Amino acid sequence: MSGSLPTVRTVAELRRVVDAWQRAGERAALVPTMGALHRGHLALVERGRALCPRVVASLFVNPTQFGPNEDFSRYPRDEAKDAALLAGVGCDLLYAPDVAEMYPEGFATTVDPGPIAARQCGPFRLGHFAGVATVVTKLLLQSRADVALFGEKDFQQLQVIRRVARDLDIPAAIEGVPTVRETSGLALSSRNVYLTPEQRAVAPALYRTLRETARRIEAGDGVAAATADGLETLQRAGFTSVDYLDVADAETLGPLTRLDRPGRILAAVWLGKTRLIDNIAVVPAR
Ligand code: AMP
């Protein structure tokens, strides 16, 4: 037990609990997380509860989705606090495997999500989406959940997982959940704890710029001009650097040069050693 939340650490134990629910006619929702939970994660659990009588959250800081120079070792970890937060929103079970349970001796298979992982964050985080696709595939097959919930905050990740679930005939329904934000507009993220007060003051400019870019494109401005202006705004806003600002087809995340179908604007910026991502819908007039 962890707090008042039942906790399992092996695939066998996880399956025993989820199988018992399903045999009793109760559908199960899975919420995969890396811990350091905030209201964004809890919104996923709440949506899971609205869709299914049972919810299991997983907590696993997945080493294979971090690059060699990324923050795997300093990523915030506090399982007891996370368990208490999950129990508080009615989560039924925590699945917290260790690395050896997830990747036993001899583990060798990788799920390659193909072109959807090649743009936006792809070139900046080589191997990241293969790491995500592999661990999420494992979590879906380990739990055999009926539904799995993912945040729109990580929009490319959400679309990668939709693609993988469809392509590999994984039966879980994949549900996206809108991004939970601070009143400043800054998307909640476990990595926001790294920000200094000065960096926190700059951070909301990311979402502000995405909104302004979406507004202009929806009002009929050209995608290329609005993107160039948005990029310049980000570059002047006080970020340490800007990885990209991209307007993409909302489903495939391929290039979108005219707003003739639903789009998504995605961006990644740095504040010191902290990388922030965000995105927004851009919708053609009907
Ligand atoms: P993480 O623990 O950062 O890997 O995130 C676990 C899940 O929570 C992912 O599906 C994220 O997209 C989702 N998530 C993270 N931040 C937010 C947020 N601010 N709003 C909604 N979902 C979020």
Side-chain angles (χ1 to χ4, degrees):
M1 299 275 283
S2 211
S4 57
L5 185 63
T7 300
V8 293
R9 300 191 188 276
T10 66
V11 178
E13 291 171 297
L14 172 67
R15 284 197 172 153
R16 208 171 304 133
V17 178
V18 175
D19 285 353
W21 292 340
Q22 290 167 333
R23 265 186 277 112
E26 295 177 322
R27 282 156 48 89
L30 171 71
V31 176
T33 84
M34 298 204 301
L37 302 184
H38 50 62
R39 283 186 295 113
H41 298 107
L42 301 184
L44 303 189
V45 175
E46 282 161 358
R47 181 79 186 123
R49 284 205 64 84
L51 295 173
C52 297
R54 296 290 188 173
V55 180
V56 51
S58 63
L59 192 179
F60 181 65
V61 185
N62 177 34
T64 70
Q65 71 188 69
F66 288 78
N69 299 315
E70 295 184 2
D71 56 346
F72 176 68
S73 56
R74 69 176 182 131
Y75 198 82
R77 291 167 170 88
D78 188 344
E79 182 181 314
K81 185 176 167 204
D82 289 340
L85 288 170
L86 290 167
V89 288
C91 183
D92 296 287
L93 181 71
L94 176 63
Y95 172 49
D98 65 16
V99 173
E101 179 72 9
M102 196 60 84
Y103 301 115
E105 187 71 29
F107 184 90
T109 301
T110 300
V111 178
D112 174 355
I116 196 160
R119 289 161 46 82
Q120 295 97 26
C121 283
F124 296 96
R125 302 192 72 189
L126 294 176
H128 168 71
F129 288 115
V132 168
T134 304
V135 81
V136 170
T137 299
K138 286 174 65 72
L139 289 166
L140 293 171
L141 298 177
Q142 289 174 343
S143 65
R144 302 181 181 131
D146 300 282
V147 176
L149 298 108
F150 299 88
E152 290 184 353
K153 155 76 170 38
D154 301 278
F155 194 78
Q156 190 174 14
Q157 167 174 285
L158 170 62
Q159 297 306 63
V160 162
I161 290 162
R162 287 197 161 121
R163 181 79 264 154
V164 167
R166 227 178 288 146
D167 290 353
L168 299 185
D169 305 307
I170 296 173
I174 307 300
E175 287 280 329
V177 176
T179 303
V180 178
R181 302 178 179 281
E182 296 184 351
T183 43
S184 69
L186 175 64
L188 298 191
S189 164
S190 305
R191 292 187 165 100
N192 291 354
V193 300
Y194 300 147
L195 300 176
T196 65
E198 295 73 27
Q199 291 170 336
R200 275 192 161 262
V202 175
L206 174 56
Y207 185 56
R208 221 168 31 237
T209 307
L210 289 173
R211 275 180 37 193
E212 173 59 13
T213 308
R215 190 198 62 73
R216 278 188 54 186
I217 294 172
E218 287 175 350
D221 280 7
V223 169
T227 306
D229 289 350
L231 191 61
E232 199 184 319
T233 304
L234 286 179
Q235 282 161 343
R236 290 182 180 184
F239 294 107
T240 312
S241 63
V242 180
D243 277 353
Y244 66 84
L245 172 73
D246 191 42
V247 183
D249 177 293
E251 199 189 330
T252 65
L253 299 185
L256 188 76
T257 50
R258 284 182 48 229
L259 189 59
D260 51 6
R261 55 198 190 277
R264 202 86 188 179
I265 311 179
L266 304 96
V269 299
W270 289 86
L271 279 168
K273 289 183 177 165
T274 305
R275 189 171 187 270
L276 301 181
I277 57 171
D278 205 346
N279 65 86
I280 193 170
V282 54
V283 187
R286 304 197 308 139

Short mmCIF file of all heavy atoms in Angstrom, two decimals, residues 166-203:
data_model
loop_
_atom_site.label_atom_id
_atom_site.label_comp_id
_atom_site.label_asym_id
_atom_site.label_seq_id
_atom_site.Cartn_x
_atom_site.Cartn_y
_atom_site.Cartn_z
N ARG A 166 -3.88 2.17 -33.42
CA ARG A 166 -4.60 1.78 -34.64
C ARG A 166 -3.78 0.76 -35.43
O ARG A 166 -4.26 -0.29 -35.83
CB ARG A 166 -4.84 3.03 -35.50
CG ARG A 166 -6.25 3.17 -36.01
CD ARG A 166 -6.41 4.47 -36.79
NE ARG A 166 -6.40 5.65 -35.95
CZ ARG A 166 -5.88 6.84 -36.29
NH1 ARG A 166 -5.29 7.01 -37.46
NH2 ARG A 166 -5.96 7.86 -35.45
N ASP A 167 -2.51 1.07 -35.64
CA ASP A 167 -1.68 0.23 -36.50
C ASP A 167 -1.43 -1.16 -35.91
O ASP A 167 -1.27 -2.13 -36.64
CB ASP A 167 -0.32 0.91 -36.76
CG ASP A 167 -0.46 2.14 -37.67
OD1 ASP A 167 -1.58 2.36 -38.19
OD2 ASP A 167 0.54 2.86 -37.84
N LEU A 168 -1.33 -1.24 -34.59
CA LEU A 168 -1.00 -2.52 -33.96
C LEU A 168 -2.25 -3.23 -33.42
O LEU A 168 -2.14 -4.21 -32.68
CB LEU A 168 0.03 -2.32 -32.84
CG LEU A 168 1.38 -1.74 -33.28
CD1 LEU A 168 2.35 -1.70 -32.11
CD2 LEU A 168 1.98 -2.55 -34.43
N ASP A 169 -3.45 -2.71 -33.78
CA ASP A 169 -4.72 -3.36 -33.37
C ASP A 169 -4.81 -3.52 -31.85
O ASP A 169 -5.27 -4.55 -31.35
CB ASP A 169 -4.88 -4.73 -34.07
CG ASP A 169 -4.78 -4.59 -35.57
OD1 ASP A 169 -5.52 -3.75 -36.14
OD2 ASP A 169 -3.94 -5.27 -36.18
N ILE A 170 -4.34 -2.50 -31.14
CA ILE A 170 -4.47 -2.52 -29.68
C ILE A 170 -5.89 -2.09 -29.35
O ILE A 170 -6.34 -1.03 -29.80
CB ILE A 170 -3.43 -1.58 -29.04
CG1 ILE A 170 -2.01 -2.10 -29.36
CG2 ILE A 170 -3.65 -1.46 -27.54
CD1 ILE A 170 -0.89 -1.17 -28.93
N PRO A 171 -6.65 -2.92 -28.62
CA PRO A 171 -8.08 -2.64 -28.50
C PRO A 171 -8.46 -1.44 -27.62
O PRO A 171 -9.58 -0.95 -27.73
CB PRO A 171 -8.66 -3.94 -27.92
CG PRO A 171 -7.52 -4.73 -27.42
CD PRO A 171 -6.27 -4.23 -28.06
N ALA A 172 -7.58 -0.93 -26.80
CA ALA A 172 -7.97 0.19 -25.91
C ALA A 172 -8.41 1.40 -26.74
O ALA A 172 -7.79 1.73 -27.75
CB ALA A 172 -6.78 0.58 -25.03
N ALA A 173 -9.47 2.08 -26.28
CA ALA A 173 -9.88 3.35 -26.89
C ALA A 173 -8.96 4.44 -26.34
O ALA A 173 -8.76 4.54 -25.13
CB ALA A 173 -11.33 3.65 -26.52
N ILE A 174 -8.37 5.24 -27.25
CA ILE A 174 -7.44 6.30 -26.82
C ILE A 174 -8.22 7.61 -26.73
O ILE A 174 -8.82 8.05 -27.71
CB ILE A 174 -6.27 6.45 -27.82
CG1 ILE A 174 -5.57 5.10 -28.06
CG2 ILE A 174 -5.29 7.52 -27.35
CD1 ILE A 174 -4.97 4.45 -26.84
N GLU A 175 -8.20 8.23 -25.55
CA GLU A 175 -8.96 9.45 -25.30
C GLU A 175 -8.01 10.61 -25.00
O GLU A 175 -7.16 10.50 -24.11
CB GLU A 175 -9.84 9.27 -24.05
CG GLU A 175 -11.04 8.38 -24.26
CD GLU A 175 -12.18 9.10 -24.96
OE1 GLU A 175 -12.33 10.33 -24.78
OE2 GLU A 175 -12.93 8.43 -25.71
N GLY A 176 -8.17 11.72 -25.72
CA GLY A 176 -7.40 12.92 -25.44
C GLY A 176 -8.15 13.82 -24.45
O GLY A 176 -9.38 13.87 -24.48
N VAL A 177 -7.42 14.49 -23.58
CA VAL A 177 -8.01 15.37 -22.56
C VAL A 177 -7.40 16.77 -22.71
O VAL A 177 -6.17 16.91 -22.83
CB VAL A 177 -7.73 14.81 -21.14
CG1 VAL A 177 -8.26 15.74 -20.06
CG2 VAL A 177 -8.36 13.42 -21.00
N PRO A 178 -8.26 17.82 -22.73
CA PRO A 178 -7.75 19.19 -22.92
C PRO A 178 -6.70 19.58 -21.88
O PRO A 178 -6.73 19.12 -20.73
CB PRO A 178 -9.01 20.06 -22.78
CG PRO A 178 -10.15 19.15 -23.09
CD PRO A 178 -9.72 17.78 -22.65
N THR A 179 -5.81 20.47 -22.28
CA THR A 179 -4.70 20.91 -21.42
C THR A 179 -5.20 21.75 -20.25
O THR A 179 -6.00 22.68 -20.43
CB THR A 179 -3.73 21.76 -22.27
OG1 THR A 179 -3.30 20.95 -23.36
CG2 THR A 179 -2.53 22.22 -21.44
N VAL A 180 -4.73 21.43 -19.06
CA VAL A 180 -5.04 22.22 -17.86
C VAL A 180 -3.95 23.28 -17.72
O VAL A 180 -2.76 22.97 -17.80
CB VAL A 180 -5.11 21.32 -16.61
CG1 VAL A 180 -5.38 22.15 -15.36
CG2 VAL A 180 -6.18 20.25 -16.79
N ARG A 181 -4.37 24.54 -17.51
CA ARG A 181 -3.44 25.68 -17.49
C ARG A 181 -3.53 26.47 -16.20
O ARG A 181 -4.58 26.48 -15.55
CB ARG A 181 -3.77 26.65 -18.66
CG ARG A 181 -3.71 25.98 -19.99
CD ARG A 181 -4.06 26.91 -21.14
NE ARG A 181 -3.95 26.15 -22.37
CZ ARG A 181 -2.80 25.87 -22.97
NH1 ARG A 181 -1.68 26.40 -22.51
NH2 ARG A 181 -2.75 25.12 -24.04
N GLU A 182 -2.46 27.18 -15.88
CA GLU A 182 -2.53 28.20 -14.83
C GLU A 182 -3.34 29.38 -15.37
O GLU A 182 -3.56 29.48 -16.58
CB GLU A 182 -1.11 28.69 -14.49
CG GLU A 182 -0.24 27.61 -13.90
CD GLU A 182 1.14 28.14 -13.48
OE1 GLU A 182 1.46 29.31 -13.82
OE2 GLU A 182 1.87 27.38 -12.84
N THR A 183 -3.74 30.31 -14.47
CA THR A 183 -4.52 31.45 -14.97
C THR A 183 -3.68 32.29 -15.93
O THR A 183 -4.22 32.95 -16.81
CB THR A 183 -5.03 32.34 -13.81
OG1 THR A 183 -3.97 32.50 -12.88
CG2 THR A 183 -6.22 31.71 -13.13
N SER A 184 -2.37 32.24 -15.82
CA SER A 184 -1.49 32.96 -16.76
C SER A 184 -1.54 32.36 -18.16
O SER A 184 -1.00 32.96 -19.10
CB SER A 184 -0.05 32.89 -16.26
OG SER A 184 0.43 31.55 -16.38
N GLY A 185 -2.12 31.18 -18.31
CA GLY A 185 -2.13 30.49 -19.60
C GLY A 185 -1.06 29.41 -19.68
O GLY A 185 -1.13 28.51 -20.53
N LEU A 186 -0.07 29.47 -18.81
CA LEU A 186 1.00 28.46 -18.83
C LEU A 186 0.42 27.06 -18.58
O LEU A 186 -0.32 26.86 -17.61
CB LEU A 186 2.05 28.79 -17.75
CG LEU A 186 3.17 27.78 -17.57
CD1 LEU A 186 4.05 27.68 -18.82
CD2 LEU A 186 4.04 28.13 -16.36
N ALA A 187 0.74 26.13 -19.47
CA ALA A 187 0.27 24.75 -19.29
C ALA A 187 0.95 24.14 -18.07
O ALA A 187 2.17 24.28 -17.90
CB ALA A 187 0.59 23.94 -20.54
N LEU A 188 0.18 23.46 -17.22
CA LEU A 188 0.79 22.76 -16.08
C LEU A 188 1.72 21.68 -16.62
O LEU A 188 1.41 20.99 -17.59
CB LEU A 188 -0.28 22.11 -15.21
CG LEU A 188 -1.29 23.03 -14.53
CD1 LEU A 188 -2.10 22.24 -13.50
CD2 LEU A 188 -0.63 24.21 -13.87
N SER A 189 2.88 21.56 -15.99
CA SER A 189 3.86 20.53 -16.38
C SER A 189 4.71 20.19 -15.16
O SER A 189 5.02 21.06 -14.36
CB SER A 189 4.77 21.09 -17.49
OG SER A 189 5.93 20.27 -17.61
N SER A 190 5.07 18.91 -15.07
CA SER A 190 5.95 18.51 -13.96
C SER A 190 7.26 19.27 -14.02
O SER A 190 7.92 19.47 -13.00
CB SER A 190 6.23 17.01 -14.04
OG SER A 190 5.03 16.28 -14.08
N ARG A 191 7.66 19.70 -15.21
CA ARG A 191 8.94 20.40 -15.37
C ARG A 191 8.86 21.87 -14.95
O ARG A 191 9.91 22.52 -14.84
CB ARG A 191 9.44 20.28 -16.81
CG ARG A 191 9.83 18.84 -17.17
CD ARG A 191 10.48 18.73 -18.53
NE ARG A 191 11.16 17.45 -18.70
CZ ARG A 191 10.66 16.41 -19.37
NH1 ARG A 191 9.48 16.49 -19.94
NH2 ARG A 191 11.35 15.29 -19.46
N ASN A 192 7.65 22.41 -14.69
CA ASN A 192 7.57 23.82 -14.27
C ASN A 192 8.27 24.05 -12.93
O ASN A 192 8.66 25.18 -12.63
CB ASN A 192 6.10 24.27 -14.17
CG ASN A 192 5.43 24.36 -15.53
OD1 ASN A 192 6.09 24.19 -16.57
ND2 ASN A 192 4.13 24.60 -15.54
N VAL A 193 8.46 22.99 -12.13
CA VAL A 193 9.16 23.17 -10.84
C VAL A 193 10.61 23.59 -11.04
O VAL A 193 11.25 24.12 -10.13
CB VAL A 193 9.12 21.90 -9.94
CG1 VAL A 193 7.70 21.50 -9.62
CG2 VAL A 193 9.87 20.73 -10.59
N TYR A 194 11.16 23.35 -12.23
CA TYR A 194 12.55 23.75 -12.49
C TYR A 194 12.68 25.26 -12.69
O TYR A 194 13.79 25.81 -12.66
CB TYR A 194 13.08 23.12 -13.77
CG TYR A 194 13.11 21.60 -13.84
CD1 TYR A 194 12.91 20.96 -15.07
CD2 TYR A 194 13.37 20.81 -12.73
CE1 TYR A 194 12.97 19.57 -15.18
CE2 TYR A 194 13.42 19.43 -12.84
CZ TYR A 194 13.21 18.82 -14.05
OH TYR A 194 13.27 17.45 -14.16
N LEU A 195 11.56 25.97 -12.97
CA LEU A 195 11.64 27.37 -13.40
C LEU A 195 11.92 28.31 -12.24
O LEU A 195 11.32 28.19 -11.16
CB LEU A 195 10.34 27.79 -14.09
CG LEU A 195 9.95 27.00 -15.35
CD1 LEU A 195 8.59 27.46 -15.87
CD2 LEU A 195 11.03 27.14 -16.44
N THR A 196 12.79 29.28 -12.45
CA THR A 196 13.02 30.34 -11.47
C THR A 196 11.87 31.35 -11.58
O THR A 196 11.14 31.36 -12.58
CB THR A 196 14.33 31.09 -11.79
OG1 THR A 196 14.16 31.74 -13.06
CG2 THR A 196 15.53 30.15 -11.86
N PRO A 197 11.71 32.23 -10.58
CA PRO A 197 10.64 33.24 -10.68
C PRO A 197 10.76 34.09 -11.95
O PRO A 197 9.75 34.41 -12.58
CB PRO A 197 10.84 34.10 -9.42
CG PRO A 197 11.51 33.17 -8.45
CD PRO A 197 12.38 32.26 -9.26
N GLU A 198 11.97 34.41 -12.37
CA GLU A 198 12.16 35.20 -13.59
C GLU A 198 11.68 34.41 -14.82
O GLU A 198 11.03 34.94 -15.72
CB GLU A 198 13.63 35.59 -13.78
CG GLU A 198 14.20 36.53 -12.71
CD GLU A 198 14.44 35.84 -11.35
OE1 GLU A 198 14.67 34.61 -11.32
OE2 GLU A 198 14.37 36.55 -10.32
N GLN A 199 12.03 33.12 -14.85
CA GLN A 199 11.63 32.29 -15.98
C GLN A 199 10.11 32.09 -16.00
O GLN A 199 9.48 32.09 -17.07
CB GLN A 199 12.34 30.93 -15.91
CG GLN A 199 13.84 31.07 -16.17
CD GLN A 199 14.60 29.79 -15.86
OE1 GLN A 199 14.16 28.94 -15.08
NE2 GLN A 199 15.77 29.64 -16.46
N ARG A 200 9.50 31.96 -14.82
CA ARG A 200 8.05 31.82 -14.73
C ARG A 200 7.33 33.03 -15.31
O ARG A 200 6.22 32.92 -15.83
CB ARG A 200 7.60 31.63 -13.28
CG ARG A 200 7.69 30.21 -12.86
CD ARG A 200 6.98 29.97 -11.53
NE ARG A 200 6.73 28.56 -11.43
CZ ARG A 200 5.59 27.97 -11.73
NH1 ARG A 200 4.55 28.68 -12.10
NH2 ARG A 200 5.46 26.67 -11.63
N ALA A 201 7.96 34.19 -15.16
CA ALA A 201 7.34 35.41 -15.69
C ALA A 201 7.37 35.43 -17.22
O ALA A 201 6.48 35.99 -17.85
CB ALA A 201 8.05 36.64 -15.12
N VAL A 202 8.36 34.80 -17.80
CA VAL A 202 8.47 34.75 -19.27
C VAL A 202 7.57 33.65 -19.85
O VAL A 202 6.98 33.81 -20.93
CB VAL A 202 9.94 34.50 -19.70
CG1 VAL A 202 10.06 34.33 -21.21
CG2 VAL A 202 10.84 35.64 -19.21
N ALA A 203 7.44 32.53 -19.13
CA ALA A 203 6.82 31.31 -19.67
C ALA A 203 5.43 31.51 -20.30
O ALA A 203 5.15 30.91 -21.36
CB ALA A 203 6.76 30.24 -18.57
#
